[in-house]
Amino acid sequence: QVQLQESGPGLVKPSETVSLTCTVSGGSINNHWWSWIRQSPGKGLEWIGFIYDTGSTNYNPSLKSRATISVDTSRNQFSLNLNFVTAADTAIYHCARTIAYGGKWFDTWGQGTLVTVSS
Amino acid sequence: EIVLTQSPGTLSLSPGERATLSCRASQTLSSSYLAWYQQRPGQAPRLLMYGASNRAAGISDKFSGSGSGTEFTLTISRLEPDDFAVYYCQQSAGSPRTFGQGTKLEI
Protein backbone atom coordinates (compact mmCIF):
# COMPACT_ATOMS: atom_id res chain seq x y z
CA GLN A 1 0.00 0.00 0.00
CA VAL A 2 1.44 3.32 -1.08
CA GLN A 3 2.17 5.82 1.69
CA LEU A 4 3.28 9.43 1.42
CA GLN A 5 5.16 11.48 3.98
CA GLU A 6 5.83 15.20 3.79
CA SER A 7 8.89 16.80 5.34
CA GLY A 8 10.18 20.33 5.59
CA PRO A 9 10.58 23.33 7.89
CA GLY A 10 7.61 24.28 10.01
CA LEU A 11 8.48 27.96 10.17
CA VAL A 12 9.59 30.22 7.34
CA LYS A 13 10.20 33.98 7.27
CA PRO A 14 8.30 36.25 4.90
CA SER A 15 9.90 36.67 1.46
CA GLU A 16 11.91 33.45 1.86
CA THR A 17 11.51 30.14 0.04
CA VAL A 18 9.87 27.10 1.60
CA SER A 19 11.08 23.72 0.38
CA LEU A 20 9.02 20.60 1.05
CA THR A 21 9.69 16.99 0.12
CA CYS A 22 7.28 14.10 -0.23
CA THR A 23 8.69 10.60 0.18
CA VAL A 24 6.72 7.80 -1.47
CA SER A 25 6.93 4.35 0.12
CA GLY A 26 5.27 1.04 -0.65
CA GLY A 27 5.22 1.70 -4.37
CA SER A 28 7.09 3.30 -7.25
CA ILE A 29 6.91 6.97 -8.14
CA ASN A 30 7.07 5.97 -11.80
CA ASN A 31 4.05 6.04 -14.09
CA HIS A 32 2.00 8.31 -11.84
CA TRP A 33 1.16 11.97 -11.42
CA TRP A 34 1.95 13.53 -8.03
CA SER A 35 0.44 16.65 -6.53
CA TRP A 36 0.84 19.27 -3.86
CA ILE A 37 -2.32 20.59 -2.24
CA ARG A 38 -2.56 23.00 0.66
CA GLN A 39 -5.29 23.62 3.18
CA SER A 40 -5.91 26.70 5.28
CA PRO A 41 -8.92 27.96 7.25
CA GLY A 42 -9.24 30.96 4.98
CA LYS A 43 -8.86 29.35 1.56
CA GLY A 44 -9.92 25.75 2.17
CA LEU A 45 -8.30 23.19 -0.12
CA GLU A 46 -6.14 24.68 -2.86
CA TRP A 47 -4.42 22.64 -5.56
CA ILE A 48 -0.87 23.90 -6.12
CA GLY A 49 0.27 21.73 -9.01
CA PHE A 50 1.30 18.28 -10.15
CA ILE A 51 4.17 16.52 -11.82
CA TYR A 52 4.61 13.31 -13.80
CA ASP A 53 7.61 11.03 -13.37
CA THR A 54 9.03 12.44 -16.60
CA GLY A 55 9.07 15.91 -15.07
CA SER A 56 6.07 17.29 -16.92
CA THR A 57 4.24 19.80 -14.69
CA ASN A 58 1.04 21.82 -14.40
CA TYR A 59 0.56 24.62 -11.86
CA ASN A 60 -2.23 26.72 -10.39
CA PRO A 61 -1.91 30.17 -12.02
CA SER A 62 -2.98 31.82 -8.75
CA LEU A 63 0.49 31.18 -7.37
CA LYS A 64 1.90 33.48 -10.05
CA SER A 65 4.83 31.23 -10.92
CA ARG A 66 6.14 31.14 -7.33
CA ALA A 67 5.79 27.36 -7.16
CA THR A 68 8.16 24.81 -8.65
CA ILE A 69 7.61 21.06 -8.36
CA SER A 70 10.39 18.60 -9.14
CA VAL A 71 10.77 14.83 -8.99
CA ASP A 72 13.66 12.55 -8.03
CA THR A 73 12.76 9.07 -9.23
CA SER A 74 15.97 7.57 -7.83
CA ARG A 75 14.88 8.55 -4.33
CA ASN A 76 11.14 8.02 -4.89
CA GLN A 77 10.56 11.62 -3.88
CA PHE A 78 9.06 14.77 -5.27
CA SER A 79 9.41 18.29 -3.96
CA LEU A 80 7.81 21.70 -3.82
CA ASN A 81 9.61 25.03 -3.71
CA LEU A 82 7.45 28.06 -3.02
CA ASN A 83 9.29 31.35 -3.09
CA PHE A 84 8.56 34.87 -1.83
CA VAL A 85 6.22 33.50 0.82
CA THR A 86 3.85 35.70 2.81
CA ALA A 87 1.50 35.07 5.72
CA ALA A 88 -1.14 34.05 3.16
CA ASP A 89 0.96 30.96 2.41
CA THR A 90 0.55 29.66 5.96
CA ALA A 91 -1.22 26.33 5.57
CA ILE A 92 -1.03 22.58 5.91
CA TYR A 93 0.73 21.27 2.80
CA HIS A 94 -0.27 17.81 1.59
CA CYS A 95 1.31 15.70 -1.09
CA ALA A 96 -0.94 13.30 -2.96
CA ARG A 97 -0.78 10.60 -5.58
CA THR A 98 -2.84 11.65 -8.56
CA ILE A 99 -4.65 9.13 -10.71
CA ALA A 100 -5.75 9.95 -14.23
CA TYR A 101 -9.08 8.31 -15.01
CA GLY A 102 -11.15 10.69 -17.02
CA GLY A 103 -10.10 13.58 -14.84
CA LYS A 104 -7.27 13.69 -12.33
CA TRP A 105 -8.07 12.63 -8.78
CA PHE A 106 -6.09 12.57 -5.56
CA ASP A 107 -6.39 9.00 -4.34
CA THR A 108 -3.65 8.77 -1.69
CA TRP A 109 -2.64 11.64 0.58
CA GLY A 110 0.10 12.33 3.05
CA GLN A 111 -0.92 13.52 6.50
CA GLY A 112 0.32 16.99 5.72
CA THR A 113 2.91 19.32 7.19
CA LEU A 114 2.10 22.70 8.71
CA VAL A 115 4.04 25.60 7.28
CA THR A 116 3.83 28.88 9.19
CA VAL A 117 5.12 32.07 7.61
CA SER A 118 6.16 34.51 10.29
CA SER A 119 9.07 36.73 11.17
CA GLU B 1 -11.61 29.19 -12.90
CA ILE B 2 -14.48 26.80 -12.14
CA VAL B 3 -16.06 27.61 -8.77
CA LEU B 4 -17.75 24.83 -6.81
CA THR B 5 -20.39 25.79 -4.26
CA GLN B 6 -21.44 23.18 -1.73
CA SER B 7 -24.66 23.16 0.24
CA PRO B 8 -25.61 23.08 2.95
CA GLY B 9 -22.61 24.39 4.86
CA THR B 10 -23.54 22.23 7.83
CA LEU B 11 -25.90 19.27 7.89
CA SER B 12 -27.14 17.95 11.22
CA LEU B 13 -28.43 14.38 11.16
CA SER B 14 -28.57 11.28 13.34
CA PRO B 15 -26.97 7.85 12.93
CA GLY B 16 -29.09 5.66 10.70
CA GLU B 17 -30.41 8.56 8.61
CA ARG B 18 -29.62 9.38 4.99
CA ALA B 19 -27.51 12.40 4.04
CA THR B 20 -27.75 14.28 0.77
CA LEU B 21 -24.95 16.73 -0.04
CA SER B 22 -24.93 19.06 -3.03
CA CYS B 23 -22.20 20.57 -5.19
CA ARG B 24 -22.96 23.19 -7.82
CA ALA B 25 -20.42 24.14 -10.49
CA SER B 26 -20.13 27.59 -12.05
CA GLN B 27 -19.76 25.96 -15.48
CA THR B 28 -21.14 22.81 -17.02
CA LEU B 29 -18.99 19.79 -16.24
CA SER B 30 -18.96 16.40 -17.83
CA SER B 31 -19.84 13.99 -15.06
CA SER B 32 -16.48 12.40 -15.64
CA TYR B 33 -14.79 15.35 -14.00
CA LEU B 34 -16.31 15.53 -10.50
CA ALA B 35 -15.04 13.83 -7.34
CA TRP B 36 -15.96 13.71 -3.65
CA TYR B 37 -13.65 13.49 -0.63
CA GLN B 38 -14.22 12.86 3.07
CA GLN B 39 -12.06 14.49 5.73
CA ARG B 40 -12.27 13.39 9.34
CA PRO B 41 -10.79 15.61 12.08
CA GLY B 42 -7.00 15.48 12.14
CA GLN B 43 -6.82 13.39 8.98
CA ALA B 44 -6.07 14.02 5.34
CA PRO B 45 -8.92 13.99 2.84
CA ARG B 46 -9.89 10.58 1.46
CA LEU B 47 -11.14 10.01 -2.06
CA LEU B 48 -14.70 8.62 -2.02
CA MET B 49 -16.05 9.04 -5.55
CA TYR B 50 -14.61 10.00 -8.92
CA GLY B 51 -16.26 10.52 -12.26
CA ALA B 52 -19.29 11.62 -10.22
CA SER B 53 -20.56 8.08 -9.58
CA ASN B 54 -17.57 5.71 -9.34
CA ARG B 55 -16.59 4.59 -5.86
CA ALA B 56 -12.89 4.64 -5.07
CA ALA B 57 -11.18 1.45 -3.94
CA GLY B 58 -12.40 0.21 -0.58
CA ILE B 59 -15.32 2.65 -0.32
CA SER B 60 -18.59 1.26 1.05
CA ASP B 61 -21.58 1.03 -1.26
CA LYS B 62 -23.54 3.18 1.18
CA PHE B 63 -21.83 6.09 -0.60
CA SER B 64 -23.29 6.99 -3.96
CA GLY B 65 -22.81 9.90 -6.32
CA SER B 66 -24.90 11.32 -9.11
CA GLY B 67 -25.46 14.38 -11.18
CA SER B 68 -24.59 16.09 -14.42
CA GLY B 69 -24.15 19.53 -15.89
CA THR B 70 -23.74 21.88 -12.96
CA GLU B 71 -25.53 19.93 -10.19
CA PHE B 72 -23.99 16.97 -8.40
CA THR B 73 -25.03 15.02 -5.32
CA LEU B 74 -23.35 12.74 -2.81
CA THR B 75 -25.71 10.48 -0.89
CA ILE B 76 -24.75 8.58 2.24
CA SER B 77 -27.25 6.02 3.41
CA ARG B 78 -27.43 4.59 6.92
CA LEU B 79 -25.17 7.12 8.64
CA GLU B 80 -22.68 5.70 11.12
CA PRO B 81 -20.57 7.63 13.66
CA ASP B 82 -17.49 7.47 11.39
CA ASP B 83 -19.39 9.24 8.60
CA PHE B 84 -19.65 12.50 10.53
CA ALA B 85 -16.93 14.52 8.86
CA VAL B 86 -16.40 17.25 6.28
CA TYR B 87 -17.08 16.42 2.63
CA TYR B 88 -15.55 18.23 -0.35
CA CYS B 89 -16.27 18.08 -4.05
CA GLN B 90 -13.49 18.66 -6.60
CA GLN B 91 -13.54 19.27 -10.34
CA SER B 92 -11.00 18.19 -12.90
CA ALA B 93 -12.64 19.65 -16.01
CA GLY B 94 -10.48 22.74 -16.09
CA SER B 95 -7.27 24.12 -14.74
CA PRO B 96 -6.81 25.01 -12.01
CA ARG B 97 -8.34 22.00 -10.31
CA THR B 98 -10.64 23.39 -7.64
CA PHE B 99 -12.46 22.21 -4.53
CA GLY B 100 -15.72 23.23 -2.97
CA GLN B 101 -15.68 24.89 0.44
CA GLY B 102 -16.99 21.76 2.15
CA THR B 103 -20.10 20.50 3.91
CA LYS B 104 -19.76 19.59 7.57
CA LEU B 105 -21.89 16.58 8.46
CA GLU B 106 -22.53 16.64 12.18
CA ILE B 107 -24.57 14.67 14.65
Side-chain angles (χ1 to χ4, degrees):
Chain A
Q1 183 178 348
V2 172
Q3 293 185 310
L4 287 73
Q5 180 66 58
E6 305 88 350
S7 58
L11 181 63
V12 185
K13 291 182 169 54
S15 80
E16 292 188 343
T17 296
V18 61
S19 297
L20 302 175
T21 296
C22 183
T23 301
V24 179
S25 59
S28 173
I29 204 167
N30 291 322
N31 301 315
H32 285 287
W33 290 89
W34 303 91
S35 293
W36 286 99
I37 298 157
R38 66 184 182 181
Q39 185 170 24
S40 61
K43 291 187 178 180
L45 287 162
E46 181 179 27
W47 170 73
I48 297 170
F50 47 54
I51 190 166
Y52 196 62
D53 64 349
T54 56
S56 177
T57 54
N58 191 329
Y59 296 103
N60 190 327
S62 71
L63 293 164
K64 297 183 172 62
S65 303
R66 295 190 296 124
T68 302
I69 300 175
S70 58
V71 64
D72 185 340
T73 55
S74 66
R75 295 187 175 187
N76 239 31
Q77 293 177 334
F78 63 105
S79 299
L80 168 68
N81 278 359
L82 184 65
N83 54 29
F84 305 113
V85 297
T86 70
D89 294 310
T90 294
I92 295 172
Y93 285 73
H94 295 276
C95 57
R97 189 176 71 174
T98 306
I99 58 173
Y101 193 84
K104 285 188 172 62
W105 319 114
F106 313 111
D107 77 329
T108 307
W109 296 60
Q111 274 299 104
T113 186
L114 175 61
V115 174
T116 302
V117 180
S118 174
S119 56
Chain B
E1 174 174 318
I2 298 174
V3 176
L4 300 177
T5 303
Q6 293 186 240
S7 60
T10 302
L11 183 58
S12 299
L13 292 170
S14 300
E17 292 190 299
R18 171 191 296 253
T20 302
L21 287 66
S22 295
C23 176
R24 174 176 293 178
S26 61
Q27 303 174 28
T28 297
L29 305 179
S30 162
S31 59
S32 300
Y33 296 108
L34 197 285
W36 291 93
Y37 298 81
Q38 176 195 65
Q39 187 174 31
R40 296 178 177 136
Q43 296 186 16
R46 177 173 72 140
L47 179 65
L48 296 177
M49 314 289 301
Y50 62 93
S53 61
N54 300 292
R55 276 185 293 275
I59 300 302
S60 166
D61 62 4
K62 70 178 181 179
F63 292 92
S64 62
S66 63
S68 63
T70 61
E71 302 284 345
F72 297 88
T73 299
L74 175 70
T75 301
I76 313 168
S77 61
R78 309 181 311 275
L79 286 169
E80 299 176 53
D82 272 354
D83 300 329
F84 292 92
V86 181
Y87 292 83
Y88 296 95
C89 55
Q90 176 237 326
Q91 65 80 21
S92 188
S95 192
R97 274 65 177 171
T98 52
F99 293 84
Q101 84 281 15
T103 289
K104 182 179 181 181
L105 179 55
E106 64 175 24
I107 296 179

